Amino acid sequence: MHAESVTPSELIYGLEDRPAALPALLAALQHVLASFVGVITPPLVIGGVLGLGAHLPYLISMALMVSGVGTFIQARRPLGIGAGMICLQGTSFAFLGAVLSAGFLVKSRGGSAEEILAMIFGVCFFGAFVQVLLSRCIGRLQRTITPLVTGIVITLIGISLIKVGITDLGGGFGAADFGAPGNLALGALVLVTIILLSRSANPWVRLSAIIGGLALGSLAAWLGGTLVPQPLPDLPLVSLPTPFRFGFAFDWSAFLPVALIYLISTLETVGDLTANCLLSRQPIAGPGYLTRLKGGVLGDGVSCLLAATFSAFPNTTFAQNNGVIQMTGVASRHVGLYIGALLFLLGLFPSLGALLQQIPKPVLGGATLVMFGSVAAAGIRILAQTRLDRRNMLIVAASFGVGLGIAAQPTLLQHLPKLVQNLFDSAITCGGLTALLLNLALPDEKPAEAIRTAGDEAIL
């Protein structure tokens, strides 16, 4: 499967094109707006649950700064570290359960907020080496991480993220006015605006589709009284990173769940990188593809090492930014350098981040819904290009059944040990592991048998 099967004119700027500063900045800003909430939400959740409120401004600043540095590395690809594409690094939601478990372990022993953070960042630091080591073995894992498996994982990632987008469109998780007609109207306005602008023949209009949708939605929210600008909180002018600011600790019982999530995160990253290659019109097979996978997974691992060092939670390649590439038609890796710089500045000057936090949830939901749908569509496209014989259809059916079943009924695992619940409570984890194991366990059909089977089914 190669990029030639897709019309190249769909891209305004290809992977190696160098857009002028203004269009590059415009495209980068849309990536930042699409990912900003995703980057800062895990620190907010972890800080709220573990009682780390006093350290939250610093944790959010570090999350943004490390995301910026990691994104820059992925795009620039120094010393072969990085995929050489727009791979926005952001705080991973997949680690929430394992990180909270590590925090509760220290809290149950009477540990302070600083001791909790020292344990979390200590186990995350060593766990990152799991991803670094796996990046060196991607070539040997070719039989395991096939287009079939990555297509399933990408589709599950997109479908899982759609739930986040539709929740925001309704007003946000736990909102008192969730599903109010005003929220739905705001989300629909943003969604329709982005769709109309992204279909324009004018490259500038298409480039600004997401910003245009967010701006129009925010204006409508302000006029309707939903968006009431708040005074910025009393924050330091600049947040400076300090290595291991809270100390360093380690515990095997806290480390093992984190290490397993790093393994699962690697599978998710391979899926995201494959989708990125597809959207950037790059091959998704062959030595060049494997080189990108190795560099991209290594970039994730290095980004996680930096995160643990500078008090940020584990990072991963964000899937929603593949949707931005699809919407804007900009795949230039040089835009990734601008994205990294913008995220770093947002972290360096925390008041800028506080300003963006005021965008209403329904407005963000309308924008992210179409982008998350694009991620699922990219997975379906990969599956459509694989040989869907009886064996592969069985793997697809079982993986979607298990993954989406867990997502639809999250209380299914409530009687199992907490560790098992934390590891297998997501569609991506369960569906991805099901695809991985079945792909290894079920013998591959020979082409002749597959052809005969297809012929028999056609006759029937």
Side-chain angles (χ1 to χ4, degrees), residues 109-153:
R109 298 170 181 170
S112 64
E114 291 75 15
E115 288 171 327
I116 289 172
L117 289 169
M119 177 65 75
I120 289 172
F121 296 131
V123 296
C124 288
F125 180 84
F126 285 111
F129 286 102
V130 172
Q131 204 158 27
V132 171
L133 293 173
L134 285 172
S135 72
R136 304 299 86 195
C137 309
I138 291 294
R140 297 177 186 176
L141 296 174
Q142 248 186 306
R143 182 174 171 268
T144 305
I145 306 175
T146 62
L148 178 70
V149 174
T150 52
I152 290 169
V153 171

Side-chain angles (χ1 to χ4, degrees), residues 380-421:
I380 293 169
R381 181 187 292 179
I382 294 174
L383 288 175
Q385 294 180 32
T386 62
R387 195 180 80 244
L388 291 177
D389 53 28
R390 190 177 303 183
R391 169 193 180 269
N392 289 351
M393 283 295 289
L394 180 61
I395 294 173
V396 171
S399 302
F400 282 169
V402 172
L404 298 179
I406 290 289
Q409 192 53 263
T411 58
L412 183 71
L413 307 177
Q414 62 181 332
H415 297 299
L416 296 179
K418 196 68 179 175
L419 177 61
V420 176
Q421 293 181 45

Side-chain angles (χ1 to χ4, degrees), residues 395 398-400 402-403 428-440:
I395 294 173
S399 302
F400 282 169
V402 172
I428 301 166
T429 303
C430 289
L433 286 177
T434 301
L436 203 64
L437 294 174
L438 288 179
N439 191 51
L440 287 171

Side-chain angles (χ1 to χ4, degrees), residues 40 42-48 52-62 313:
I40 68 169
L44 286 171
V45 172
I46 293 167
L52 310 174
H55 302 295
L56 264 181
Y58 182 78
L59 294 176
I60 290 172
S61 287
M62 292 305 104
F313 300 107

Side-chain angles (χ1 to χ4, degrees), residues 312-324:
F313 300 107
N315 276 16
T316 190
T317 297
F318 265 18
Q320 55 260 50
N321 293 90
N322 290 334
V324 180

